[in-house]
Amino acid sequence: MTSVYAQRRARLAAQLGEGGIAIIPTAPERGRNRDNSYLYRHDSYFYYLTGFSEPNACLVLKADGSSTLFCQPKDLEREIWDGYRLGPEAAVSTLGMDAAFSVDDIDTRLPRLLENQDKVWWPFATHEGLAARVEGWLQKVRARTRAGALCPAAQGDVCTLLDEMRLIKDAHELAIMRRAGQISARAHIRAMQRAARMLRAGEDCREYHLDAELLHEFRQGGAEGVAYDSIVAAGPNACVLHYRADKAPVRSGDLVLIDAGCELEGYASDITRTFPANGTFTGPQRALYELVLDSQKAAIAATRAGNRFNDPHDATVAVLAQGMLDLGLLDKSKYGNAQDVIAQRAYFQFYMHRTGHWLGMDVHDCGSYVEMSEVDAASTRTDALSGEAITRPSRILRPGMVTTIEPGIYVRPAPGVPEQFHHIGIRIEDDAVVTETGCELITRDVPVEADAIEALMRD
């Protein structure tokens, strides 16, 4: 049976055009400090086409569908230190390649593969030094023109092709992402219950204690690790959007915001929950929490095939704008109604990010947010986030796209802001697969309703 990776290579090859050839390298290893490297993570484009996670590798794909892999050669001595290598000989059958060679020979063999091709595709602006290497390989082809070799006369960014392919997830990808969502949901539950348990016992609870629970459950569930640096923000720290789990105390009466997700088989999950550290919301906390949850429900309702990517954000802003007036965060005498709040972007004081982003192999996954088939169409609108006039049409949602839905509210002390809301930061985030009739939330194994969160933390 043809593997999912071979099927993807065939789809990409069909888009290269007659005489097209693509070069897709994996990510390099990164040094952390002396004699120590960061945990290796493959390049997403390369892995999408190969399923191969070793470093020092490169895929070459021609328009006729033929595939060549350059990878690390077998080296028994290095494998004692660094681990098993597949090697070129086994790569052909294991990965379904037509040919495989040692990466040590790439500078000799790759120019020959480029000979007599019309256009070379490679990922622009993603691999430091790759442009110079491509230029060097082409120079070697030009050096053979007197022998009758033809050099590719055009170049293209292969990311433009792969981004469109990766934007629509296939059944293989969605199955992995559902499992990743389940693992991450269990991790959030574990962290919630740890906070309540430690505070009930009178123990000194810190952000890093909750971060440890997340990491435990990610690995316990079989994930490779985190999809991004986990945010564990207690009390006022929740008002810092990209806060990282640190050593701040988790105090009874505070809210805790956790934005964390695992990476499973190369795919990310992304969940945010905000909960009362001691298991019980205060009145002001619950009021703001219910507002954010209502705005998320509005965004979920707007996430369906045929709608635009910006529709969930606009739905979120509409609910938040009215709620900010109703709760007194914004002065009704200054802003008469929600439309005025939106027109003047007054909500931006408390909500300053978008409601979602693509999700897949990368937590901020690839894929244009512009509807490419309508780029030349007149579609002027005011962007709800920046307030700018936007002429580029927002992307039409289609089945198989995966997006996050993550509204929030962040209240820092300021003149006119009711004191009972000071230092409250709330975000609620779920991962949604777009369907014909709506969306499938694949991260709801962790509760989201305020009453359900309190009940969970009592257990």
Side-chain angles (χ1 to χ4, degrees), residues 3 10 66 77 81 107 128 175 177 206 263 335 388 407 456:
S3 74
S66 62
E77 182 177 352
W81 293 92
D107 290 332
E128 185 177 355
M177 294 184 73
R206 301 278 172 163
E263 179 172 286
Y335 308 101
E388 300 174 352
L456 173 75

Side-chain angles (χ1 to χ4, degrees), residues 378-412:
S379 178
T380 302
R381 62 182 177 84
T382 300
D383 182 69
L385 185 66
S386 66
E388 300 174 352
I390 301 295
T391 57
R392 298 180 301 277
S394 179
R395 192 82 194 220
I396 296 173
L397 297 177
R398 292 177 172 83
M401 292 178 174
V402 182
T403 181
T404 63
I405 304 177
E406 51 175 311
I409 199 164
Y410 314 91
V411 186
R412 296 166 185 80

